[in-house]
Amino acid sequence: MADKRITVEVVTPERSVIEKEIESLVIPASEGYLGVLPGHAPLVTGLQPGVVRMKTGGSEDRMAISGGFMEVMNDKVTIMADTAELAEEIDVERAKRAKERAEKRLRERPEGLDVARAEFALRRALARIEAVSGDE
Ligand code: ATP
């Protein structure tokens, strides 16, 4: 089992983000965080904003996603994300500004505010900040 691997491929409408052999991943599926190990049953699920953690040996790659779909089949995981950034690609100051904008809108609730849109922007920003900080 020790040498069992999963191939993970992450794409967005804009680019190919990563293709790599890993040992396991944890991903924010639409029903909650889901772990995928080698030998996982075939699966298609929606994704929500959050942090994907991909483990190989002692190291972990973290990536923020904003939603999309994942397919698991024959130890191949394909993540089709709306947006995806590896932790090292994230501009954390930009994410903090986005977080503050969204929090201000949700606090002040101006006339005509699209609350769901502001909440979604906040969740994207929080995922990016968490991917960089590594906090659970
Ligand atoms: P902002 O308000 O800062 O633009 P956003 O959540 O509205 O944030 P998205 O619409 O989710 O941004 O993403 C637009 C593009 O910018 C995508 O390619 C995404 O990967 C990239 N992106 C967004 N925020 C960051 C960030 N903090 N660091 C690096 N890339 C980012």
Side-chain angles (χ1 to χ4, degrees), residues 14 83-85 89-92 94-95 98 101 121 124 128:
E14 292 175 347
T83 65
E85 307 89 33
E89 298 172 328
I90 292 173
D91 177 344
V92 76
R94 175 176 165 184
R101 272 197 312 277
R124 291 197 299 273
R128 288 173 179 134

Side-chain angles (χ1 to χ4, degrees), residues 113-125:
L113 176 70
D114 184 338
V115 173
R117 183 175 162 186
E119 285 174 345
F120 188 48
L122 177 59
R123 295 179 68 204
R124 291 197 299 273

